[in-house]
Amino acid sequence: MTAAGAPTVFVIDDDAAVRASIQGLLKSVGLRSESFGAAQEFLRSKRPDGPSCLVLDVRLPGVNGLDFQRQLADAGVQIPIIFITGHGDIPMTVKAMKSGAVEFLTKPFRDQDLLDAIHQALDRDRVTRQQQSELAELRKRYESLTAREREVMGLVVSGMLNKQIASELGISEITVKIHRGHVMRKMQADSLAELVRMAAKLEIPPGNK
């Protein structure tokens, strides 16, 4: 058993010796790993909830690594990928990197180069997960607002004054102040600037009603 949130490195390579070698290297530096001989095995597996990355061979049975990279993106699976190949070329490398790969290593590669790429990939995934967690929390707060409070928030972050908002919504300025106070409290915003940043993260159009 591993601690919740411990990082995992997934290795997909049809060569058992390569998989064993990479897993041995990862174990030597205290990194947990799981290996697969084919891309579909990885898709069928239950992945632990924690930072992870994928060490992916370009040439695999059934589907090549670049196509699999696209399949993962289409399926909404966000995982940093490090490609390894014995047959790399420049166009292949460019395509992989443009699609978001962390690194493209040609066999034989130095152990340290692979470890450096893995640590970079895990750091990237940690940041992504943190951002997703924060956004989910913001969405939860926004969903706790009433329809009127959302209207007021949209107009507030667009830069309108309370009296302008009152005129826009056909309510009194006092009522706007009350709604505005509820918005700040429910969104846990300490300032207007912070509320504006929250709205930007939530992609709420200014003046949204």
Side-chain angles (χ1 to χ4, degrees):
M1 292 294 291
T2 63
T8 306
V9 180
F10 299 104
V11 182
I12 306 179
D13 196 304
D14 59 341
D15 186 329
V18 171
R19 294 200 303 273
S21 170
I22 292 174
Q23 285 198 279
L25 171 66
L26 295 171
K27 189 175 181 182
S28 74
V29 294
L31 279 172
R32 179 180 184 277
S33 65
E34 292 180 22
S35 72
F36 307 90
Q40 298 311 311
E41 287 178 29
F42 169 74
L43 285 179
R44 286 194 296 267
S45 71
K46 187 177 186 309
R47 294 182 286 283
D49 186 29
S52 60
C53 68
L54 187 56
V55 177
L56 180 62
D57 189 19
V58 171
R59 295 182 189 271
L60 291 167
V63 58
N64 77 46
L66 293 172
D67 288 341
F68 186 55
Q69 180 186 31
R70 192 172 63 249
Q71 281 179 20
L72 288 174
D74 291 345
V77 178
Q78 292 184 321
I79 183 168
I81 297 174
I82 297 146
F83 280 105
I84 54 174
T85 181
H87 318 276
D89 57 39
I90 298 296
M92 194 187 286
T93 306
V94 169
K95 185 178 177 186
M97 300 303 277
K98 273 189 174 175
S99 297
V102 174
E103 189 57 272
F104 196 102
L105 300 172
T106 305
K107 301 172 187 172
F109 44 77
R110 290 170 57 243
D111 287 351
Q112 193 57 50
D113 288 342
L114 178 60
L115 289 175
D116 287 347
I118 284 170
H119 285 300
Q120 183 186 340
L122 290 173
D123 285 344
R124 183 188 288 187
D125 200 42
R126 279 189 195 95
V127 169
T128 300
R129 283 167 177 274
Q130 179 66 24
Q131 289 170 341
Q132 287 172 340
S133 171
E134 287 171 3
L135 187 56
E137 173 59 28
L138 269 186
R139 284 208 181 101
K140 199 169 155 189
R141 292 180 203 168
Y142 184 68
E143 283 161 12
S144 76
L145 301 180
T146 64
R148 178 62 94 192
E149 285 164 359
R150 289 182 195 183
E151 280 184 319
V152 170
M153 177 173 166
L155 296 171
V156 165
V157 299
S158 73
M160 288 175 75
L161 302 173
N162 287 350
K163 63 182 178 183
Q164 293 171 315
I165 296 170
S167 172
E168 174 80 16
L169 298 179
I171 57 179
S172 73
E173 202 172 330
I174 293 291
T175 305
V176 171
K177 283 180 181 174
I178 291 169
H179 285 313
R180 187 168 177 159
H182 289 167
V183 168
M184 297 297 280
R185 180 176 53 78
K186 289 183 180 178
M187 293 302 295
Q188 296 175 32
D190 295 328
S191 64
L192 174 58
E194 192 176 358
L195 192 67
V196 170
R197 279 196 295 274
M198 288 176 176
K201 283 181 184 174
L202 289 166
E203 297 180 352
I204 299 167
N208 182 46
K209 290 200 276 180

